[in-house]
Amino acid sequence: MRWGLVPAWFKEDDPSKMQYNTSNCRSDTMMEKLSYKVPLVKGKRCVVLADGYYEWQQRNGQKQPYFIYFPQTVQGMFNKSDIEDEDPKGQRLLTMAGIFDCWISPNGGETLYSYTIITVEASKSVSSIHHRMPAILDGDEAVEKWLDSAEIPTQEALKLIHPIENLAFHPVSTVVNNSRNNTPECIIPIQLDLKKTKGQQVQHVCVLHLCSTCPGDRG
DNA sequence: CCAGACGTTGTT
DNA sequence: GTCTGG
DNA sequence: CCAGACGTTGTT
DNA sequence: GTCTGG
């Protein structure tokens, strides 16, 4: 599926001619915006899987990127093959709530499936990085309800869209700033230079969280 | 009724 | 300044 | 989100 | 295709 929702009624022959951003969808207005409301009430709900997402923190004029993800099990965290293999095992992927639509080019051809990722206010746990975050479904039950548009009506499903606290994060290299870069360096933790200047407090930086709900972890 | 929009991030 | 591509 | 382009003539 | 503004 293509990221950036192309509404079913889009009239140009090329989706790249869309003149407005549909990569994200504000949860507070998605029942008012035509591009999202229409597919949403038709039950076109999807889940977007990712290792994590990046967000940039404004730090005294500079932008510091962070990688944000579900807390991992100890086993998953130290499984070296996760970093080196294309097919990581034992890694808990982020499950972000999305809306999709289907579009057929006026020239015909295959149906294009495309999606948008819902955004919400940042939760307390990530609010020091940025004031917005993707809507994340925390757990199988939430994921299954979001996907089950046959049984779970829109109004019920919308209750699943809210900020969540259960996240871990760490600062990463600005290598990630150029989206042409797609290397392990994009997600490897870096040490921030927390140079103290007079009268400034050094902020606590969360490097890694363990998952307190996983039996093998000790918080 | 028709015409025109249909969107978010951020910033100030 | 604003848009496109990734 | 950030980085990078932002243009036309002609030539090979 | 469907809603809002005029």
Side-chain angles (χ1 to χ4, degrees), chain A residues 146-163:
Chain A
W146 183 251
L147 292 177
D148 190 1
S149 55
E151 293 299 325
I152 311 293
T154 307
Q155 287 306 320
E156 280 299 308
L158 291 183
K159 294 176 185 168
L160 301 165
I161 303 303
H162 52 72

Side-chain angles (χ1 to χ4, degrees), chain A residues 18-202:
Chain A
M18 283 247 304
Q19 287 303 293
Y20 51 98
N21 282 353
T22 52
S23 297
N24 295 119
C25 160
R26 293 184 64 93
S27 62
D28 51 345
T29 54
M30 62 183 169
M31 285 301 280
E32 298 156 21
K33 304 293 184 177
L34 278 175
S35 295
Y36 306 135
K37 177 191 173 179
V38 172
L40 184 53
V41 299
K42 289 180 183 162
K44 290 188 161 63
R45 311 197 294 257
C46 65
V47 171
V48 183
L49 300 175
D51 293 336
Y53 70 97
Y54 300 102
E55 201 68 86
W56 283 259
Q57 179 186 55
Q58 204 84 48
R59 292 179 83 237
N60 44 52
Q62 310 278 0
K63 293 218 166 184
Q64 175 59 52
Y66 286 78
F67 185 58
I68 306 170
Y69 46 92
F70 270 142
Q72 301 294 308
T73 64
V74 169
Q75 192 178 25
M77 269 203 301
F78 297 110
N79 186 352
K80 242 190 158 186
S81 68
D82 283 1
I83 297 163
E84 289 159 7
D85 290 359
E86 285 291 324
D87 179 30
K89 293 175 184 66
Q91 177 158 261
R92 186 179 177 202
L93 296 176
L94 264 195
T95 43
M96 298 180 285
I99 300 168
F100 72 94
D101 208 348
C102 303
W103 174 79
I104 300 170
S105 164
N107 301 334
E110 288 192 357
T111 300
L112 176 71
Y113 283 73
S114 60
Y115 65 91
T116 186
I117 296 175
I118 299 169
T119 62
V120 295
E121 282 287 307
S123 65
K124 192 183 170 195
S125 61
V126 292
S127 61
S128 64
I129 302 174
H130 195 67
H131 69 106
R132 303 287 296 170
M133 70 187 291
I136 296 164
L137 302 161
D138 190 3
D140 291 345
E141 187 183 327
V143 168
E144 283 165 25
K145 283 183 175 175
W146 183 251
L147 292 177
D148 190 1
S149 55
E151 293 299 325
I152 311 293
T154 307
Q155 287 306 320
E156 280 299 308
L158 291 183
K159 294 176 185 168
L160 301 165
I161 303 303
H162 52 72
I164 67 159
E165 303 289 348
N166 182 27
L167 290 170
F169 56 82
H170 60 250
V172 294
S173 161
T174 54
V175 161
V176 76
N177 287 11
N178 192 326
S179 59
R180 288 182 161 84
N181 297 333
N182 186 16
T183 65
E185 206 185 340
C186 291
I187 61 168
I188 288 172
I190 61 160
Q191 181 67 54
L192 288 183
D193 287 332
L194 297 173
K195 31 189 153 182
K196 262 192 215 173
T197 55
K198 271 184 200 168
Q200 265 196 335
Q201 291 280 332
V202 174

Side-chain angles (χ1 to χ4, degrees), chain A residues 6-15 17-19 103-104 106:
Chain A
V6 181
W9 45 262
F10 186 64
K11 291 178 183 65
E12 308 292 328
D13 55 0
D14 181 357
K17 290 179 181 166
M18 283 247 304
Q19 287 303 293
W103 174 79
I104 300 170

